[in-house]
mmCIF file of all heavy atoms in Angstrom:
data_model
loop_
_atom_site.group_PDB
_atom_site.id
_atom_site.type_symbol
_atom_site.label_atom_id
_atom_site.label_comp_id
_atom_site.label_asym_id
_atom_site.label_seq_id
_atom_site.Cartn_x
_atom_site.Cartn_y
_atom_site.Cartn_z
ATOM 1 N N SER N 97 -11.062 5.761 -17.190
ATOM 2 C CA SER N 97 -11.832 5.860 -18.355
ATOM 3 C C SER N 97 -12.629 7.227 -18.346
ATOM 4 O O SER N 97 -12.849 7.826 -19.527
ATOM 5 C CB SER N 97 -12.851 4.773 -18.347
ATOM 6 O OG SER N 97 -13.652 4.781 -19.475
ATOM 7 N N ALA N 98 -12.929 7.769 -17.245
ATOM 8 C CA ALA N 98 -13.633 9.098 -17.141
ATOM 9 C C ALA N 98 -12.516 10.077 -17.080
ATOM 10 O O ALA N 98 -12.996 11.361 -16.913
ATOM 11 C CB ALA N 98 -14.426 9.128 -15.876
ATOM 12 N N ARG N 99 -11.349 9.827 -17.354
ATOM 13 C CA ARG N 99 -10.217 10.756 -17.334
ATOM 14 C C ARG N 99 -9.887 11.451 -16.083
ATOM 15 O O ARG N 99 -9.510 12.609 -15.962
ATOM 16 C CB ARG N 99 -10.361 11.801 -18.523
ATOM 17 C CG ARG N 99 -10.470 11.119 -19.963
ATOM 18 C CD ARG N 99 -9.100 10.415 -20.070
ATOM 19 N NE ARG N 99 -9.093 9.863 -21.548
ATOM 20 C CZ ARG N 99 -9.376 8.447 -21.766
ATOM 21 N NH1 ARG N 99 -9.598 7.771 -20.833
ATOM 22 N NH2 ARG N 99 -9.237 8.150 -22.963
ATOM 23 N N ALA N 100 -10.223 10.754 -14.955
ATOM 24 C CA ALA N 100 -9.772 11.182 -13.561
ATOM 25 C C ALA N 100 -8.336 11.137 -13.606
ATOM 26 O O ALA N 100 -7.676 10.231 -14.287
ATOM 27 C CB ALA N 100 -10.371 10.229 -12.517
ATOM 28 N N HIS N 101 -7.621 12.163 -12.855
ATOM 29 C CA HIS N 101 -6.115 12.068 -12.836
ATOM 30 C C HIS N 101 -5.609 10.872 -12.033
ATOM 31 O O HIS N 101 -6.433 10.173 -11.346
ATOM 32 C CB HIS N 101 -5.674 13.371 -12.376
ATOM 33 C CG HIS N 101 -6.231 13.797 -10.963
ATOM 34 N ND1 HIS N 101 -5.903 13.131 -9.822
ATOM 35 C CD2 HIS N 101 -6.992 14.774 -10.656
ATOM 36 C CE1 HIS N 101 -6.505 13.654 -8.882
ATOM 37 N NE2 HIS N 101 -7.249 14.759 -9.280
ATOM 38 N N ALA N 102 -4.368 10.623 -12.065
ATOM 39 C CA ALA N 102 -3.752 9.419 -11.490
ATOM 40 C C ALA N 102 -4.030 9.456 -9.962
ATOM 41 O O ALA N 102 -4.274 8.229 -9.395
ATOM 42 C CB ALA N 102 -2.208 9.365 -11.666
ATOM 43 N N TYR N 103 -3.890 10.484 -9.254
ATOM 44 C CA TYR N 103 -4.162 10.500 -7.749
ATOM 45 C C TYR N 103 -5.693 10.062 -7.620
ATOM 46 O O TYR N 103 -5.893 9.261 -6.585
ATOM 47 C CB TYR N 103 -4.034 11.902 -7.159
ATOM 48 C CG TYR N 103 -2.647 12.462 -7.310
ATOM 49 C CD1 TYR N 103 -2.362 13.365 -8.462
ATOM 50 C CD2 TYR N 103 -1.592 12.137 -6.443
ATOM 51 C CE1 TYR N 103 -1.090 13.975 -8.595
ATOM 52 C CE2 TYR N 103 -0.357 12.729 -6.628
ATOM 53 C CZ TYR N 103 -0.167 13.697 -7.689
ATOM 54 O OH TYR N 103 1.125 14.177 -7.843
ATOM 55 N N ALA N 104 -6.580 10.628 -8.342
ATOM 56 C CA ALA N 104 -8.039 10.161 -8.115
ATOM 57 C C ALA N 104 -8.255 8.662 -8.457
ATOM 58 O O ALA N 104 -9.017 7.997 -7.732
ATOM 59 C CB ALA N 104 -8.844 11.049 -9.030
ATOM 60 N N ALA N 105 -7.544 8.154 -9.576
ATOM 61 C CA ALA N 105 -7.670 6.854 -9.927
ATOM 62 C C ALA N 105 -7.161 5.871 -8.789
ATOM 63 O O ALA N 105 -7.773 4.943 -8.428
ATOM 64 C CB ALA N 105 -6.885 6.590 -11.123
ATOM 65 N N VAL N 106 -6.070 6.325 -8.158
ATOM 66 C CA VAL N 106 -5.487 5.454 -7.079
ATOM 67 C C VAL N 106 -6.430 5.675 -5.813
ATOM 68 O O VAL N 106 -6.517 4.617 -5.217
ATOM 69 C CB VAL N 106 -4.082 5.975 -6.659
ATOM 70 C CG1 VAL N 106 -3.591 5.536 -5.428
ATOM 71 C CG2 VAL N 106 -3.045 5.689 -7.822
ATOM 72 N N SER N 107 -7.065 6.776 -5.625
ATOM 73 C CA SER N 107 -7.951 6.908 -4.558
ATOM 74 C C SER N 107 -9.114 5.924 -4.698
ATOM 75 O O SER N 107 -9.616 5.344 -3.675
ATOM 76 C CB SER N 107 -8.411 8.400 -4.414
ATOM 77 O OG SER N 107 -7.402 9.232 -4.050
ATOM 78 N N ALA N 108 -9.606 5.844 -5.961
ATOM 79 C CA ALA N 108 -10.745 4.868 -6.193
ATOM 80 C C ALA N 108 -10.180 3.374 -5.873
ATOM 81 O O ALA N 108 -11.035 2.707 -5.217
ATOM 82 C CB ALA N 108 -11.118 4.933 -7.727
ATOM 83 N N GLY N 109 -9.054 3.129 -6.178
ATOM 84 C CA GLY N 109 -8.560 1.763 -5.816
ATOM 85 C C GLY N 109 -8.383 1.500 -4.290
ATOM 86 O O GLY N 109 -8.831 0.502 -3.781
ATOM 87 N N LEU N 110 -7.932 2.556 -3.665
ATOM 88 C CA LEU N 110 -7.787 2.552 -2.162
ATOM 89 C C LEU N 110 -9.124 2.417 -1.605
ATOM 90 O O LEU N 110 -9.237 1.649 -0.431
ATOM 91 C CB LEU N 110 -7.088 3.736 -1.716
ATOM 92 C CG LEU N 110 -5.520 3.868 -2.017
ATOM 93 C CD1 LEU N 110 -5.069 5.165 -1.579
ATOM 94 C CD2 LEU N 110 -4.760 2.797 -1.244
ATOM 95 N N GLY N 111 -10.251 3.029 -2.005
ATOM 96 C CA GLY N 111 -11.499 2.815 -1.508
ATOM 97 C C GLY N 111 -11.997 1.325 -1.538
ATOM 98 O O GLY N 111 -12.624 0.841 -0.546
ATOM 99 N N VAL N 112 -11.799 0.676 -2.698
ATOM 100 C CA VAL N 112 -12.268 -0.699 -2.798
ATOM 101 C C VAL N 112 -11.422 -1.644 -2.049
ATOM 102 O O VAL N 112 -11.905 -2.619 -1.494
ATOM 103 C CB VAL N 112 -12.140 -1.033 -4.297
ATOM 104 C CG1 VAL N 112 -12.652 -2.514 -4.410
ATOM 105 C CG2 VAL N 112 -13.132 -0.170 -5.202
ATOM 106 N N ILE N 113 -10.078 -1.390 -1.945
ATOM 107 C CA ILE N 113 -9.236 -2.388 -1.205
ATOM 108 C C ILE N 113 -9.423 -2.493 0.133
ATOM 109 O O ILE N 113 -9.129 -3.359 0.892
ATOM 110 C CB ILE N 113 -7.801 -1.869 -1.527
ATOM 111 C CG1 ILE N 113 -6.721 -3.136 -1.489
ATOM 112 C CG2 ILE N 113 -7.285 -0.926 -0.419
ATOM 113 C CD1 ILE N 113 -5.372 -2.702 -1.896
ATOM 114 N N GLU N 114 -10.317 -1.622 0.918
ATOM 115 C CA GLU N 114 -10.646 -1.769 2.219
ATOM 116 C C GLU N 114 -11.608 -2.703 2.413
ATOM 117 O O GLU N 114 -11.937 -3.103 3.686
ATOM 118 C CB GLU N 114 -11.133 -0.343 2.776
ATOM 119 C CG GLU N 114 -10.112 0.626 3.018
ATOM 120 C CD GLU N 114 -10.479 1.744 3.936
ATOM 121 O OE1 GLU N 114 -11.069 1.378 5.104
ATOM 122 O OE2 GLU N 114 -10.310 2.878 3.646
ATOM 123 N N GLY N 115 -12.257 -3.367 1.553
ATOM 124 C CA GLY N 115 -13.204 -4.425 1.751
ATOM 125 C C GLY N 115 -12.569 -5.714 2.395
ATOM 126 O O GLY N 115 -11.510 -5.983 2.035
ATOM 127 N N PRO N 116 -13.325 -6.448 3.238
ATOM 128 C CA PRO N 116 -12.801 -7.647 3.920
ATOM 129 C C PRO N 116 -12.594 -8.637 2.967
ATOM 130 O O PRO N 116 -11.815 -9.588 3.265
ATOM 131 C CB PRO N 116 -13.927 -7.895 4.809
ATOM 132 C CG PRO N 116 -15.094 -7.381 4.367
ATOM 133 C CD PRO N 116 -14.592 -6.056 3.705
ATOM 134 N N LEU N 117 -13.133 -8.636 1.692
ATOM 135 C CA LEU N 117 -12.926 -9.716 0.752
ATOM 136 C C LEU N 117 -11.774 -9.434 -0.235
ATOM 137 O O LEU N 117 -11.646 -10.153 -1.249
ATOM 138 C CB LEU N 117 -14.297 -10.019 -0.139
ATOM 139 C CG LEU N 117 -15.424 -10.339 0.759
ATOM 140 C CD1 LEU N 117 -16.605 -10.675 -0.203
ATOM 141 C CD2 LEU N 117 -15.158 -11.633 1.559
ATOM 142 N N HIS N 118 -11.020 -8.238 -0.010
ATOM 143 C CA HIS N 118 -10.051 -7.792 -0.933
ATOM 144 C C HIS N 118 -8.880 -7.624 0.033
ATOM 145 O O HIS N 118 -8.159 -8.424 0.544
ATOM 146 C CB HIS N 118 -10.423 -6.682 -1.771
ATOM 147 C CG HIS N 118 -9.618 -6.323 -2.987
ATOM 148 N ND1 HIS N 118 -8.641 -7.193 -3.414
ATOM 149 C CD2 HIS N 118 -9.539 -5.296 -3.725
ATOM 150 C CE1 HIS N 118 -8.127 -6.666 -4.458
ATOM 151 N NE2 HIS N 118 -8.600 -5.522 -4.640
ATOM 152 N N GLY N 119 -8.297 -6.263 0.044
ATOM 153 C CA GLY N 119 -7.154 -6.021 0.803
ATOM 154 C C GLY N 119 -7.101 -6.280 2.245
ATOM 155 O O GLY N 119 -6.149 -6.588 2.824
ATOM 156 N N ALA N 120 -8.273 -6.132 2.890
ATOM 157 C CA ALA N 120 -8.378 -6.222 4.251
ATOM 158 C C ALA N 120 -8.339 -7.778 4.762
ATOM 159 O O ALA N 120 -8.313 -8.066 5.915
ATOM 160 C CB ALA N 120 -9.577 -5.670 4.739
#
Side-chain angles (χ1 to χ4, degrees):
S97 177
R99 295 303 183 259
H101 54 70
Y103 301 97
V106 168
S107 294
L110 288 171
V112 175
I113 211 172
E114 283 202 47
L117 300 182
H118 195 12

